[in-house]
Amino acid sequence: DYVNWKQYEGEWVSVQLGNSGKTIRQIGCLATSLAIQIAKSGVQTNIGEFNPGTFVEYLNGQNAFSDGGALLNYSDVELAAPGFKYQGFIDVLYMSKEEKLNTIAGIVNQAGVYAVAEVKGETGQHWVAIDSVSGDTIKMMDPGSSNTDMWDTYDWYNTSRIVYYKVG
């Protein structure tokens, strides 16, 4: 079911991120993308019925969001899913298309690694969950659309950051 989780539909759309006054519908792309990857990984969570809303509510209880609704630390995800270990991020904005593709493939083609990508760069901000890389195609689970081809949907040039986690 997680493949179809969207920030704009579902029982969680009105859940606020921290004290921001902003909801998952408005600014929940990163939280939804991370929830998708946690669910995909099958890792145990500290949350009964896991979905983007219960994930954000749990992180709210841990004061994991800034006043603007941003996730304060990528490692805070481990508070909800202790086995989903933050590995780091790579800023890729100024890389060539080939360098970005190779960097992303090098991350997501490792066993037990799950990544999210910021795909709008300096033109805004939007996060998606990376599903797989095959050839020069990056498949995504996008909380903001039903599209699945990352660079058919978002200009490759604007992909700016990859954040990744490991299970096991």
Side-chain angles (χ1 to χ4, degrees), residues 103-125:
T103 299
I104 295 167
I107 293 168
V108 303
N109 289 338
Q110 297 177 56
V113 174
Y114 299 85
V116 295
E118 197 291 309
V119 293
K120 289 191 176 176
E122 296 169 340
T123 68
Q125 189 175 88

Side-chain angles (χ1 to χ4, degrees), residues 51-78:
N51 64 49
T54 57
F55 178 54
V56 168
E57 287 169 348
Y58 186 89
L59 291 179
N60 283 343
Q62 308 298 316
N63 297 311
F65 295 102
S66 72
D67 287 342
L71 186 63
L72 291 170
N73 296 294
Y74 296 125
S75 60
D76 284 347
V77 171
E78 295 175 28

Side-chain angles (χ1 to χ4, degrees), residues 5 11-12 15-18 24 27-39 43-65 71-82 84 116 165:
W5 286 351
E11 61 199 47
W12 49 78
V15 174
Q16 288 190 29
L17 287 84
I24 291 175
I27 62 167
C29 54
L30 176 58
T32 303
S33 293
L34 289 167
I36 288 167
Q37 293 295 44
I38 291 167
V43 72
Q44 291 285 357
T45 70
N46 294 325
I47 301 165
E49 186 180 327
F50 185 82
N51 64 49
T54 57
F55 178 54
V56 168
E57 287 169 348
Y58 186 89
L59 291 179
N60 283 343
Q62 308 298 316
N63 297 311
F65 295 102
L71 186 63
L72 291 170
N73 296 294
Y74 296 125
S75 60
D76 284 347
V77 171
E78 295 175 28
L79 299 169
F84 200 74
V116 295
Y165 297 81

